Amino acid sequence: MNLFVESVSIDEIRRLFQSGLADGIVLSESAYSGSGTPEGQELIAAISQEFAIPVCVEIPAVSGDDMYREARELARISDSIVVQLPLIDDAISPIHRLSQEGVDVCATFVFTGAQAVLAAKAGASSVRISLSEMDEHGLMSSDAVSEMRMLLEASQCECDIMVASPRTSTQFTECINAGAQIISIAPDILQSLLLHPLTDRGIDRFLNNVSRRPKAH
């Protein structure tokens, strides 16, 4: 299982990368100036240059020609770029064409096993499930992940399942247990997963015991 950090802060990414907790990066269109602007492309280039790990970037387009053109432009920045395209009718042709040209594509807004299989058949190397969207409609994300994993394996499609933005440790562990290969997660949520009341109590007890030990002379 790989962790992809949802961040546009180079310092934040660097800290997690150096800790071994960042196997990839997800840049959200809503969180930075945009892949279509000079500033956005400079940020993408700087991150790709410093970290030799996948960098997922959303394509702010919904027409086939625009998706293909912008994806190709981004792919020229670095071989580590993974372009994220929404799984709509107009995206199928760009996904296939880009994958044939060696560009990694992640299909987003995927919620069913059927969608995952079709995205994989078109050439997507990964599919991305939005947990917030699932929660809003009362759907079980772990069930969706299990279905996707089962159908992808049955159809012999090589495609990773990325689960986006778990908010709790329960969501995090359920999605891993269901078969997700990638979890994209915000740094503050990742930090919270390290915390537990029993851990705090154990540390307090440990420090108390250490303080009682005889000091060396």
Side-chain angles (χ1 to χ4, degrees):
M1 189 276 300
N2 290 322
L3 290 175
F4 280 31
V5 180
E6 298 172 353
S7 177
V8 295
S9 166
I10 293 181
D11 289 339
E12 203 167 46
I13 295 168
R14 185 183 296 119
R15 176 176 59 82
L16 292 170
F17 179 75
Q18 292 175 346
S19 300
L21 296 179
D23 303 299
I25 304 159
V26 174
L27 304 181
S28 171
E29 180 68 23
S30 61
Y32 70 109
S33 56
S35 57
T37 67
E39 295 82 3
Q41 293 198 0
E42 287 177 8
L43 172 65
I44 295 167
I47 290 174
S48 301
Q49 183 175 358
E50 179 166 349
F51 308 102
I53 54 179
V55 180
C56 301
V57 185
E58 292 179 353
I59 303 298
V62 291
S63 74
D65 290 342
D66 290 343
M67 282 189 277
Y68 175 77
R69 183 181 64 256
E70 295 194 30
R72 283 299 306 171
E73 185 176 348
L74 276 176
R76 293 189 186 97
I77 295 176
S78 171
D79 291 339
S80 64
I81 296 294
V82 180
V83 296
Q84 294 188 322
L85 300 181
L87 188 66
I88 56 178
D89 286 346
D90 284 352
I92 298 301
S93 179
I95 289 173
H96 181 67
R97 188 176 175 186
L98 289 164
S99 67
Q100 292 291 101
E101 295 172 359
V103 178
D104 277 340
V105 180
C106 174
T108 61
F109 302 110
V110 174
F111 300 101
T112 69
Q115 287 180 308
V117 169
L118 293 176
K121 290 290 289 181
S125 59
S126 59
V127 294
R128 180 174 168 90
I129 306 172
S130 170
L131 290 187
S132 61
E133 298 276 354
M134 298 285 286
D135 289 344
E136 286 178 10
H137 292 84
L139 301 174
M140 288 294 294
S141 53
S142 58
D143 290 344
V145 172
S146 296
E147 180 189 60
M148 290 181 195
R149 183 79 274 130
M150 179 182 66
L151 291 180
L152 286 168
E153 290 178 354
S155 58
Q156 298 183 340
C157 292
E158 294 185 7
C159 183
D160 289 339
I161 299 172
M162 179 191 300
V163 174
S165 308
R167 306 299 299 178
T168 67
S169 61
T170 299
Q171 282 186 327
F172 182 81
T173 54
E174 283 181 348
C175 289
I176 295 173
N177 191 51
Q181 289 98 342
I182 303 170
I183 305 291
S184 74
I185 188 167
D188 59 331
I189 302 299
L190 182 58
Q191 184 69 31
S192 73
L193 297 180
L194 294 170
L195 306 177
H196 193 279
L198 292 180
T199 302
D200 294 338
R201 292 181 186 178
I203 293 298
D204 289 341
R205 186 169 58 251
F206 170 76
L207 293 175
N208 185 47
N209 290 339
V210 168
S211 67
R212 295 178 178 179
R213 292 176 185 172
K215 290 183 169 50
H217 296 289

